[in-house]
């Protein structure tokens, strides 16, 4: 075992770099629940390297998954790059995440969750391999929506799997919590509900900020944290460290009001304010240093940027950049690269002795997107008035490393009007509190900043009943879901996403799904402005791939948080240099050529060949895919073996008990028995010379044939219950069988548009009362006998035979196991199915026959 100091220096890529003592504590001691540390002291390195060290030296007691939850998109790419650099420096590329080498691989062990492009792809490695270590990085929108089983920007049918993995064997880290809004209370409630309802393996939480009162985390199900680490107050070695004193005490930051201030919110007022501010910025800019302007709205930032660009001219354009959260990923990453990369030397700039490129000469116009976590420093800061916790973060981007020996300068811009319109997006009372504090502040060195005296207001608090209701992933009868956005962000901060396509090249209803790189976030409050003269399109939730169009007009519907809307590129609304701009109608938005995700000419084994890029629907079986024929009995054996292997690996971590393991493996043996149904086999295009055995997979699958909405897993569960309903654990096994595609779970009812022929008394999900299933060889010396399926379980109350209904059984399982354990078990069968199917594909590439291994 190498000492942590050596491990830290190696990860940082600097043999002389020593950790702060609080960073050392996170590696060598149990973690607190709250870490309060000033900006610039390396909190990201502290938590990531602390977790990696514990994974390497105490893997059994250290959670497998590190979940980094960030409030803003701009932090995600930066954090991802930092994490991958740590792993590469530590040589983790040679580490396969085994017991002997317990670190995540820098390629498939690090995942970014930002939405878009996930609806039709194979599950990522961190999902397929719950027994491997992984680092997950995402915004609170993407992570908390998954933790509430309503994952934004992903297939609804994978919601239970992500939910399960995020709530078991995971270490959550909530960074910059002062910016989380409603998500802060939700994070605390989820932690409390995990403790109350139980998980398979513990899931811990750590909240980080420079401005955090632990009392903010006291909610109805979560007490105020008892384990709090305050840096440097609780760390004597850091309190007396010259390195720390240089950053916290000696890095002077003079504070005073700016001359420029807005008089109103009209376009004329904004233009006049932007012109005055641009002039003051140019007068105050120090050659060779960075000047940072942080404004509270994208529109004001764009206007100031435009005027500065005009005044600097072509010669100064390369030293000016604009950064906010309303860019597409490619343009945002380009701006961040410019921000953190070397700048062109400025004419007349002195040799300022700056420690690195982060203080090179440039003018940066930004919004709140830069105030937390972005590793940048400046000699001059102009900032609009904001809540005190936000101002403290902004002050942390000034003289961050003590590089300005003569001190830095902060000028704050007052926002005060009788109607409070200039305060948006912040409450006027929070700006009034900040104004009061600034009146007596002359130096913003961290040691001089008072702590916050008010926390974020609790508007919507997640309760136990809310969480249990969210466990049911079926939409209501109108096709809508429970809206979780009030639990994730304050209403003023919620977003939907848009992307642009060339409608002249391909009609909108048939456009492929977007990739993550195409998406641009739009605040809900600007929806009317953006869509006023533009026609939006959204995914049709009831579309049947191979039969219907994928996209439908948005019409007069108001976008809701997490919705993805497609727009015509010819209508404008975006420019690569300034980002989202609803007022711009020309020129057309640049778009890239979009291929279907699986590539031209590809074949999805369980989707119509010409629709491999469609959104997944209730009538789609793409989760279990194959490009060649695989006999049903063979596939059942493969999945049972994969389930047994997965459970064995998880048993070594105490992540499954014997009874649950038996239920998972038995469910794997029965999970696809319903594929023997004639309605399913009719869709399987048999290869020439096939011997007549029922198929689980085929190289061609024609969804235009057979019975609409047919769900083979429901037929499988009914067949199992009718033959093995008296077995121990039969209800759990049947539920796992039914839920293994995420489409038949707590409720059993027909879909709104589903119809059955005359004379059929009961029907649901394409299964009709009295359907005949033939004998199926289960592959281990057992079989499913021929059976006529009955749907009496879908009735309210008990069945005619006195048996409980499907809903009653599922409700009892939810009460007995709790949502976190039950989701975990249903995910294991699904993951085993994915793994077995992937191995069958590999066998085909290696020249295997019929999926035999």
């Amino acid at each position: 075992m190498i000492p942590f100091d050596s491990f830290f220096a190696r990860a940082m890529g600097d043999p002389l770099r020593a950790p702060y003592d609080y960073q050392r504590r996170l590696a060598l001691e149990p973690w607190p629940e709250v870490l309060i540390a000033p900006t610039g002291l390396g909190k990201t390195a502290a938590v990531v390297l602390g977790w990696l060290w514990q994974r390497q030296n105490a893997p059994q007691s250290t959670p497998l998954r590190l979940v980094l939850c960030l409030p803003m998109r701009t932090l995600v790419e930066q954090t991802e790059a930092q994490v991958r650099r740590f792993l590469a420096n530590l040589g983790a590329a040679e580490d396969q995440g085994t017991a002997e080498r317990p670190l995540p691989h820098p390629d498939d062990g690090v995942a970014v969750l930002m939405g878009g492009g996930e609806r039709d792809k194979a599950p990522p490695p961190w999902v397929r391999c719950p027994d491997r270590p992984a680092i997950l990085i995402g915004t609170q929108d993407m992570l908390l929506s998954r933790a509430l089983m309503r994952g934004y920007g992903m297939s609804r049918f994978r919601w239970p799997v992500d939910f399960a993995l995020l709530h078991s064997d995971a270490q959550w880290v909530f960074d910059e919590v002062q910016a989380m809004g409603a998500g802060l209370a939700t994070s605390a409630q989820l932690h409390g509900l995990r403790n109350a309802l139980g998980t398979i393996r513990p899931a811990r939480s750590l909240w980080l900020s420079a401005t955090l009162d632990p009392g903010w985390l006291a909610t109805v199900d979560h007490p105020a944290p008892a384990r709090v680490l305050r840096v440097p107050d609780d760390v004597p070695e850091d309190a007396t460290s010259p390195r720390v004193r240089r950053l916290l005490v000696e890095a002077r930051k003079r504070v005073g009001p700016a001359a420029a201030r807005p008089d109103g919110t009209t376009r004329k007022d904004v233009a006049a304010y932007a012109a005055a501010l641009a002039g003051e910025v140019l007068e105050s800019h120090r050659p060779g240093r960075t000047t940072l302007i942080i404004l509270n709205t994208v529109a004001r930032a764009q206007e100031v940027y435009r005027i500065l660009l005009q005044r600097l001219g072509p010669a100064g354009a390369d030293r000016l950049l604009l950064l906010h959260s309303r860019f597409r990923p490619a343009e945002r990453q380009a701006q961040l690269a410019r921000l953190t990369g070397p700048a062109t030397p400025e004419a007349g700039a002195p040799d300022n002795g700056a420690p690195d490129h982060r203080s090179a000469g440039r003018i940066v116009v930004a919004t709140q997107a830069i105030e937390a976590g972005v590793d940048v420093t400046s000699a001059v800061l102009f900032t609009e008035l904001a809540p005190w916790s936000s101002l403290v973060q902004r002050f942390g981007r000034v003289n961050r490393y003590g590089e300005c020996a003569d001190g830095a300068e902060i000028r704050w811009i007052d926002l005060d009007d009788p109607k409070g319109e200039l305060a948006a997006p912040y409450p006027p009372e929070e700006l009034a509190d900040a104004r009061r504090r600034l009146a007596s502040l002359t130096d913003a060195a961290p040691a001089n900043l008072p702590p916050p005296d008010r926390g974020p207001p609790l508007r919507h608090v997640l309760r136990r009943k809310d969480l249990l209701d969210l466990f049911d992933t079926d939409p209501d009868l109108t096709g809508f879901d429970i809206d979780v956005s009030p639990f994730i962000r304050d209403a003023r901060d919620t977003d939907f996403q848009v992307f642009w396509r060339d409608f002249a090249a391909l009609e909108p209803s048939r456009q492929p799904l977007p990739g993550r790189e195409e998406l641009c976030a739009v605040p809900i409050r600007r929806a009317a402005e953006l869509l006023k003269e533009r026609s939006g399109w959204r995914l049709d939730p009831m579309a049947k791939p191979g039969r219907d169009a994928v996209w439908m007009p948005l019409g007069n519907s108001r976008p809701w948080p997490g919705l993805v809307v497609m727009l015509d590129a010819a209508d404008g609304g975006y420019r690569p240099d300034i980002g989202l701009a609803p007022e711009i109608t020309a020129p057309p938005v640049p778009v890239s050529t979009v291929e279907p995700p699986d590539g031209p000419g590809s074949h999805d084994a369980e989707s119509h060949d010409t629709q491999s890029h469609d959104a997944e629907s209730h009538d789609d079986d793409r989760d279990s895919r194959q490009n060649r024929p695989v006999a049903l009995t063979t596939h059942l054996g493969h999945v049972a073996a994969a389930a047994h292997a997965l459970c064995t690996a998880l048993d070594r971590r105490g992540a499954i008990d014997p009874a649950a393991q038996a239920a998972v493996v038995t469910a794997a043996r029965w999970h696809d028995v319903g594929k023997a149904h004639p309605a399913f086999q009719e869709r399987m295009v048999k290869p020439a010379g096939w011997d007549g055995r029922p198929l689980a997979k085929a190289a061609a699958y024609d969804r235009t044939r057979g019975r609409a909405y047919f769900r083979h897993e429901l037929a499988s569960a009914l067949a199992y219950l009718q033959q093995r309903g008296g077995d121990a654990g039969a209800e759990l096994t049947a539920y796992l069988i039914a839920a293994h595609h995420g489409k038949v779970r707590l409720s059993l009812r027909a879909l709104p548009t589903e119809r059955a022929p005359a004379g059929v008394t009961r029907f649901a999900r394409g299964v009709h009362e009295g359907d005949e299933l033939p004998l199926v060889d289960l592959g281990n010396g057992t079989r499913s006998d021929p059976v006529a399926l009955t749907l009496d379980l879908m009735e309210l109350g008990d069945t005619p035979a006195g048996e409980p209904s499907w809903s009653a059984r599922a409700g009892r399982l939810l009460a007995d196991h709790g949502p976190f354990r039950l989701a975990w078990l249903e995910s294991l069968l699904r993951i085993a199915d994915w793994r077995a199917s992937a191995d069958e594909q590999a066998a085909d590439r290696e020249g295997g026959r019929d999926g035999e291994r």
Side-chain angles (χ1 to χ4, degrees), residues 594-605:
V594 180
E595 293 285 357
D598 293 328
S602 63
H603 297 281
D604 188 322

Side-chain angles (χ1 to χ4, degrees), residues 39 71-72 74-75 176 178-180 211 292 294-296 323 366-376 383-384 386-397 400 426:
T39 59
M72 301 174 187
T74 49
L75 305 183
E176 308 294 0
Q178 77 288 339
M180 286 184 66
T211 55
L292 180 59
I294 303 180
L295 307 173
N296 294 348
L323 187 65
T367 62
Q368 301 91 324
I370 204 173
E371 75 181 26
V374 177
D375 191 11
V376 64
T383 175
E384 290 185 334
W388 182 248
S389 59
S390 294
L391 288 177
V392 171
Q393 295 294 327
R394 297 179 188 190
F395 296 164
R397 313 302 147 205
R400 185 175 176 86
Y426 301 117

Side-chain angles (χ1 to χ4, degrees), residues 54 304 373 377 380 397 457 462 466 478 497 508 545 599 632 713 831 839:
Q54 294 190 3
V304 171
T377 187
V380 179
R397 313 302 147 205
L462 180 78
D466 298 318
T478 64
Q497 295 176 306
L632 177 56
E713 62 269 34
I831 290 166
D839 287 347

Side-chain angles (χ1 to χ4, degrees), residues 75-229:
L75 305 183
V76 172
E77 291 99 342
Q78 176 181 294
T79 303
E80 177 194 11
Q82 195 172 6
V83 167
R84 292 190 190 277
R85 185 171 67 251
F86 291 156
L87 291 172
N89 289 342
L90 290 169
E94 303 172 2
D95 178 3
Q96 298 303 307
T98 63
E100 295 76 23
R101 295 180 177 273
L103 300 187
H105 193 282
D107 294 332
D108 59 15
V110 179
V112 173
L113 284 68
M114 288 184 70
E118 292 189 34
R119 290 179 171 85
D120 58 339
K121 291 182 179 179
W126 75 271
V127 172
R128 294 197 311 271
C129 303
D131 51 339
R132 293 276 187 91
I135 298 177
L136 312 179
I137 309 165
T139 62
Q140 69 187 65
D141 306 76
M142 295 300 133
L143 285 167
L144 287 182
S145 64
R146 283 165 166 79
L148 295 171
M149 210 180 281
R150 289 299 183 276
Y152 292 166
M154 63 178 293
S155 169
R156 64 181 303 113
F157 306 116
R158 213 185 78 198
W159 287 347
V161 182
D162 289 43
F163 174 89
L165 270 60
L166 289 172
H167 288 299
S168 180
D169 215 352
Q171 172 68 64
W172 282 78
V173 176
F174 299 96
D175 200 2
E176 308 294 0
V177 300
Q178 77 288 339
M180 286 184 66
L184 182 59
T186 299
S187 69
Q189 274 294 96
L190 285 172
H191 186 87
L193 289 170
R194 285 194 295 265
N195 291 338
L197 297 171
T199 60
I200 293 287
R201 288 272 299 176
R204 308 168 184 168
S205 297
L206 172 65
W207 290 271
L208 307 179
S209 180
T211 55
L212 168 62
D213 181 343
W216 297 351
L217 297 167
T219 60
V220 63
D221 290 297
H222 184 259
R227 301 190 313 277
V228 179
L229 180 62

Side-chain angles (χ1 to χ4, degrees), residues 262 264-279 293 295-311 320-324 365-367 384 526 575 577-581 583-584:
T265 58
T266 68
R267 186 160 295 181
K268 182 179 179 180
D269 292 331
V270 172
Y273 162 57
L277 180 56
I293 308 111
L295 307 173
N296 294 348
T297 69
V298 172
R300 290 202 290 264
Q302 289 172 330
E303 187 64 22
V304 171
Y305 173 81
R306 287 188 187 101
I307 293 176
L308 285 171
L309 190 61
Q310 292 170 2
R311 296 189 183 181
L320 176 66
L321 64 102
L322 174 65
L323 187 65
H324 55 74
V365 184
T367 62
E384 290 185 334
R526 300 196 72 182
R575 246 176 50 189
D577 60 330
I578 64 171
L580 181 73
E583 71 278 7
I584 295 176

